[in-house]
Amino acid sequence: MDTQIADLSQLKQDALDKIIFHATPKAWLSKRGPWVLDRGEGALLYDADGREYLDALSGGVFAVLAGYGREEIARAMYEQAQRLPYTSPYGTTSAVTVELARKLAEVTPGDLEASFFCTSGSEAVEAAIKLARQYHEANGDGRRYKVISLRRAYHGSTVGALSATGWSPGFGVFRRSADPVVPAAGFANAMPPYCYHCELGLTYPGCDLACGTTIEQAILGCDPELVSCVILEPIMATAGCIVPPPGYLAKVREICDRYGVLLISDEVVCGFGRTGRWFGVDHFDVVPDIMVVAKGLTSGYAPMAAAIARRGIAEKLPVFFNVHTYGGHPVSAAAALANIGIIEREDLVENAASVGRYMIGLLLELRGHPIVGDVRGLGLFMAVELVRDAARRESFAPELGVDNQVAAVAREMGLFVRPFGGTVFLAPPLIFTKAQAERTVEVLDTALARVEAQASSTANLPTAAGAGR
Ligand code: PLP
C-alpha cells in the first residue's frame, strides 16, 4: 500500500487508465484526477494527498453506518476467514451465517424471518422479485408476474432492478436508453409521494393521499390477477430523501392486501438506523412481505445483502431457485454480525434520531438562501433541494450542475456531501456528533453563499452528472 502511495501521480494515472468508473466523465477525471482515498477514522476520511474530510455521506453512497476504523469488525472478518472463508449456496451454511439470519429475524419488524443472502442491493432486489413470483406460483397463482414501482425510485443496476427503477428526469445516470431492461409490460410505475413536487399539484392532507391511489390504479391498469408485487423505498433515497406523508404506507399496505399483491420494502438505504428507527417502515407501523437490505448491513466493510421474507412466504415455498456463489458468505456474515452488535451496543439508532433532529433544525436555517427550496429528512438522512425559483418551486436546468458546484466547494472546504438531481444529500455515519453536524451545516452555508455569488461563472466547476462526488 505504502509503495503505491509513494508514486501517487502514477497511481492516479493508472486509476484513470485501468479502472472504469460509474457516471464520472473521462474529461472531468483527466482534468481533476481520480480521488484516491487512503484511510478513515470515525467520521473522518483522509485522501492519498493527505487531506482530511468530514464524511457526511457514509462513504459516498450511504453505507458506512458504524464509521471507519472499527477493529472489532476487521477482527471478526479475519477470524472467520481463518476458520472458514467460504460455503456454497446449495444447502450448505456456517454457524455465523445462521447467527446473522437469527439476528435479522430479531431486529426486523413483525414476522419477517427468513433471509436469502446475496452480495449487493441490486441482487437482493432481484431476489425479492423472484421470491414474490415463486411464492405466487407455489400458491397456485403462477400468472402473477408484474411489478409495480414508483417513478423516481432507484432499485439497482442489474436488469430486473433497473427495470423497476422507473425512468425519471435526471435518472439517465442510472438508466440509459442503451441499457437492457425487461420489456415494459412486466413493470408499471405509480406516482411517488413527493409532496414538494406533487405531480397532481395537490397538498397534504387535502390530497387524500392521491399518490397512494395511483398504486391501485397501476394494479388495475395491469390486470390485478397478473400483478405480483409492489416495490418501494419507505423513504425514497436517490429521488431526494422523500419522506412520505402520514398514512401513505398504511394505504399502500391496504391496497396490496386487497389485491393479493406482495409489498416489498427496499431498505437498502433506510435500513439499520439510518432514519432514526431500525428500518424505514418502523416509522409507519407497516410490515412488508419482503424486506431488502444491503449497505448498512455490514457498514460497507464487506459486500452482503439480503431479501428477508415473512414466515408465511418462506413456509409456502417448497424450494427457491436463485443461486449466487457468494450468497451467505461467512466472512461477510461475520462483518454484519459485528456491525449490528456495534449499532446495538452503542445505541446508534438513537444517536441517529437525536443528532438527526438537531442537524435538521440547523439545516432548516439554510432556507434563507435564495437557491434553497426544500430541506427535508428523517434521522441522519437529509436533503437540501436547490431551486432556481423558490416561490414557484422551479428546478435549475440540470446542465448547470448547481448541486455539483455546491458539493465541489464543500469538498474544497473538507466536507464530503453528494449532489444528485438538483439536490445535496447528507447521510453521515450514525456515530456523527452534534459538533460534526454543526460543522457540516456551517460549511454548506458557506458553499451555498459562494455558489450564489458566482452563479454566472461556473467554468471551473464540474457540471456533468457524477462529477463532484
Ligand atoms: N435499492 C436502493 C434503494 C438503493 O439506493 C440502491 C443503491 O444505491 C440499490 C437498491 C442497489 O444497491 P447496490 O448498489 O448494492 O446494488
Side-chain angles (χ1 to χ4, degrees), residues 328-379:
H329 198 280
V331 177
S332 297
L337 267 179
N339 171 58
I340 295 172
I342 289 169
I343 294 174
E344 284 180 320
R345 198 178 61 240
E346 297 184 9
D347 217 356
L348 295 184
V349 180
E350 176 48 34
N351 191 63
S354 62
V355 176
R357 256 192 313 273
Y358 179 69
M359 191 163 163
I360 201 137
L362 301 176
L363 281 173
L364 285 170
E365 309 265 313
L366 299 181
R367 285 186 301 187
H369 282 276
I371 64 169
V372 170
D374 195 24
V375 171
R376 50 184 176 257
L378 209 47

Side-chain angles (χ1 to χ4, degrees), residues 212-228:
T213 307
T214 66
I215 290 190
E216 180 167 23
Q217 288 161 350
I219 292 174
L220 291 170
C222 283
D223 181 350
E225 297 196 352
L226 299 184
V227 179
S228 168

Side-chain angles (χ1 to χ4, degrees), residues 102-296:
R102 283 190 190 129
K103 181 50 92 180
L104 291 176
E106 181 193 318
V107 297
T108 50
D111 58 352
L112 285 162
E113 196 172 276
S115 291
F116 173 83
F117 289 112
C118 45
T119 47
S120 72
S122 306
E123 283 176 4
V125 164
E126 304 263 353
I129 292 171
K130 285 193 189 179
L131 273 167
R133 278 193 73 167
Q134 293 184 34
Y135 164 77
H136 289 304
E137 196 180 37
N139 243 355
D141 213 359
R143 289 202 315 147
R144 290 184 179 269
Y145 72 99
K146 296 195 179 193
V147 179
I148 313 278
S149 61
L150 303 183
R151 279 189 285 284
R152 295 178 187 259
Y154 178 67
H155 293 295
S157 61
T158 51
V159 173
L162 196 61
S163 307
T165 291
W167 188 89
S168 327
F171 265 47
V173 72
F174 299 119
R175 186 168 162 175
R176 321 284 300 179
S177 53
D179 280 338
V181 285
V182 176
F187 288 81
N189 285 159
M191 182 178 143
Y194 194 2
C195 297
Y196 186 69
H197 289 296
C198 176
E199 288 180 15
L200 300 173
L202 301 172
T203 312
Y204 178 83
C207 61
D208 202 21
L209 297 170
C211 46
T213 307
T214 66
I215 290 190
E216 180 167 23
Q217 288 161 350
I219 292 174
L220 291 170
C222 283
D223 181 350
E225 297 196 352
L226 299 184
V227 179
S228 168
C229 59
V230 167
I231 181 166
L232 49 72
E233 306 157 83
I235 288 106
M236 295 180 78
T238 306
C241 188
I242 296 169
V243 184
Y248 170 79
L249 225 62
K251 178 167 180 164
V252 177
R253 174 75 272 183
E254 190 273 315
I255 291 169
C256 287
D257 289 344
R258 193 162 353 124
Y259 293 98
V261 167
L262 299 192
L263 177 60
I264 300 173
S265 180
D266 179 346
E267 302 257 0
V268 168
V269 172
C270 298
F272 303 99
R274 163 62 63 209
T275 66
R277 302 289 292 268
W278 269 92
F279 296 95
V281 287
D282 293 340
H283 289 281
F284 310 104
D285 284 331
V286 162
V287 180
D289 298 299
I290 302 170
M291 179 184 275
V292 176
V293 295
K295 299 188 193 275

